[in-house]
Amino acid sequence: MKINRRLFMGGAAAGAAATTLAAPMVHAAGHGKPKVVVVGGGAGGATAARYIAKDSKGEIEVTLVEPSRSYYTCFFSNLYMAGFRELGSIAHSYGKLASDYGINVVHDWAIGIDREARTVSLAGGATLNYDRLVLSPGIDFVDGAVDGWDVTHQNAMPHAYKAGSQSELLKAQVEAMPEGGTFAMVAPPNPFRCPPGPYERISMIAHILKEKNPTAKIIIADPKEKFSKMGLFQDGWSRHYDGMIDWIGGDFGGGNVSVNPHDMTVTIDGEVTKVDVCNVIPAMKAGKICDMAGITEGNWAPVNPHTMQSRVDENIHVLGDASSQGDMPKSGFAANSQAKVAAMAVRSALTGSKLFPAKFTNTCWSLINDNDGVKVGASYEATDEKIAKVDGFISQVGEDAELRQATYEESVGWYAGITSDMFG
Amino acid sequence: MNWIRNAAIGLTVAICASTPSFSNEIGNAADGEKLWGECKSCHAIGKDAKNRVGPHLNGIFGRRAGSEEGFNYSKGLARMGKDGLIWEFDLLDRYIENPKAFASDTRMSYRGLKDEQKRADLLAFLRRYSDNPGDIPEAAPTVAGTDHDVDPSILAIQGDPEYGEYLSSECTSCHQLTGDNDGIPGIIGWPAEDFVIAMHAYKDKYRPHPVMQMMAGRLSNDEIAALAAYFEAVEP
Ligand SMILES: Cc1cc2nc3c(=O)[nH]c(=O)nc-3n(C[C@H](O)[C@H](O)[C@H](O)COP(=O)(O)OP(=O)(O)OC[C@H]3O[C@@H](n4cnc5c(N)ncnc54)[C@H](O)[C@@H]3O)c2cc1C
């Protein structure tokens, strides 16, 4: 066994101390347990860290690297904008992962990966050794994707596609819109995080506007000709928000867009519109750390569907939005599902535990209006080439109000379920 | 597989609520009336029947589950109704065979009626009080009910709880291990047999929920047994 360098703190006692890690303390560990480093404490990473720690029963040392002390779920952040959830109810801390599962939680950024040496370097200066590395860094935006916009404009024109302060900002801007004002959204091209997400957001914003500012207008410039649950959303929009929402799809120039954050204008297919709020959701790519690790092809990191191992480096597993895996949408449910397959594969590789065939599932619920919930979902299995869809279902137009309410209530149950599956 | 769906369509049935007499009945209503004795401590049926401990059962055939105005149903039954479950012969038959396996949280504290003929008799009695027995099989159902139960060989499979624990991670994306019952039902600590029957009810699409039909549909008999063995042992 070679000498590894690792963070001084480990084991169950590390929790409280790790969260206040000020200066990195590094020491030479002798021989010891196999080490897993997980980068990113979101839907994929938190789940993977928890399952590896829980199921290896102390045989594997798990370190979770995540800069934020509170994780705000993107899921239900749209409901927060409509006032159906409090912001605090979508925030989660890493305390239990440290105290109950013995995970070494390090609040820092991973800024470099040396695949040869199997180390991760952190912005704070520390270096972590790994036997297996799990990357679940979510998404970043493609530079120059929307003409006139870059992240320096995210205050004037928020994306709110990473939850937290951006969600608060967008909500505040919508609430401050002048009477009869205009809200614009620039929707992203495929593939992107949460295919129904922009359209659920439109629904939720229409919901508040209808209450507080019923003469306001919503415009969506969309490069796509179709979107997830389109029939269900359009039916809902005409039932609840008739005449308020104008969706301009790719076939009508919706992809030919530029924005000007200084004078708050949006130009769609040559036509300039002055707007009051502009939600720009640019094209996406895997979180930057994947690029730094050199495991991306194009914008995403391809993986082996049986284990979620990178196609480029078998010591690295990539989960969730950052991976390109085949048929699964980029969702929290999917990231959570993939994390369990990866956790099993990591344990099997490091401790020889049983490896069962990979199975995946996804269900995405969306809320269209008060108690008007819909869902779409599918089950998947691993083939050598990709994660392949096996079977699926989708809510139907014309379902009665009771079923829609039950579907919404189910989503609330799911939220409680998945967040306790992630954070313990 | 399901004979009721193939039952003779368009048969005209004369209905007479007070002194009904049917030919080719699925069961013997007179015998069913005797069995009704056990039900009537909680349920009322017939003229002026009201909800009591259980809902009144006039018009139960064709009624949406959990829909009787003013009756406080268990969440599970109410949810099944919302999901579109309409009481017809085969579903009622499964329900009274083992109520808890059909609707885990049902408030009906009745252990179930295993004898197929007796169930047919009881249902023959109940249907007299439903207006719309057109969807009840009138052709002589010589094979009545044979495919209702889960095959005993399936029930006999000993599940591997370790495998079940792995598979369970698919369930815990939604169902909480605390057994919490909000919006999504708790599934821990069930008797394994009830769990297996319930999962097969989804697999056979008797239980109406699309997510669960999909999940159960891809699980093998061994996998269902493994999950049942695992979840049975989980305590809140
Ligand atoms: C508006 C909206 C609504 C949504 N609704 C739903 C829904 O209803 N259902 C659903 O299933 N999904 C939904 N999603 C999608 C879901 O949020 C994502 O698919 C999911 O979070 C992906 O998980 P992940 O682990 O890949 O990334 P994330 O959950 O984003 O986690 C990535 C983490 O990595 C950290 N990180 C990034 N880079 C580094 C680094 N270099 N070092 C250390 N840490 C790093 C980040 O801080 C972040 O916490 C929604 C998304 C949006 C935007």
Side-chain angles (χ1 to χ4, degrees), chain B residues 4 23 43 62 71 76 86 92 101 103 116 126 131 146 164 167 204 218:
Chain B
I4 193 166
S23 57
H43 292 282
F71 187 78
I86 306 288
L92 285 166
E116 191 182 312
L126 288 181
D131 306 332
T146 47
L167 293 169
D204 299 346
R218 69 203 285 244

Side-chain angles (χ1 to χ4, degrees), chain A residues 50-51 54-55 57 333 336-337 340-341 344 347 354 356-363 365 375 377-381 390-393 400 402-403 405-407 409-421, chain B residues 64-67 75 78-84 160 162-178 180-185 205 209-215 217-220 223 227 230:
Chain A
R50 179 169 164 269
Y51 271 80
K54 169 171 86 69
D55 294 341
K57 305 196 167 63
F333 199 124
N336 170 268
S337 170
K340 293 167 193 174
V341 168
M344 173 185 62
R347 282 198 303 121
K354 257 196 217 165
F356 297 109
K359 277 189 183 183
F360 306 89
T361 351
N362 179 63
T363 301
W365 286 266
K375 63 187 170 194
S379 61
Y380 306 83
E381 64 190 23
V390 180
D391 189 15
F393 62 85
D400 62 31
E402 283 195 292
L403 176 54
Q405 180 177 348
T407 302
E409 285 164 3
E410 200 173 273
S411 74
V412 174
W414 163 75
Y415 186 90
I418 191 175
T419 50
S420 70
D421 206 36
Chain B
R64 183 189 277 267
S67 68
K75 276 192 172 175
R79 179 167 33 230
M80 285 185 175
K82 289 175 187 173
D83 284 341
D160 168 2
E162 194 196 343
Y163 188 32
E165 180 167 14
Y166 162 64
L167 293 169
S168 75
S169 67
E170 272 206 302
C171 315
T172 53
S173 298
C174 297
H175 297 276
Q176 293 183 65
L177 278 179
T178 54
D180 195 278
N181 224 333
D182 238 359
I184 294 208
K205 305 205 189 303
H209 197 271
V211 179
M212 285 309 302
Q213 288 181 354
M214 180 183 83
M215 299 301 291
R218 69 203 285 244
L219 291 169
S220 69
E223 289 171 328
L227 284 166
Y230 169 69

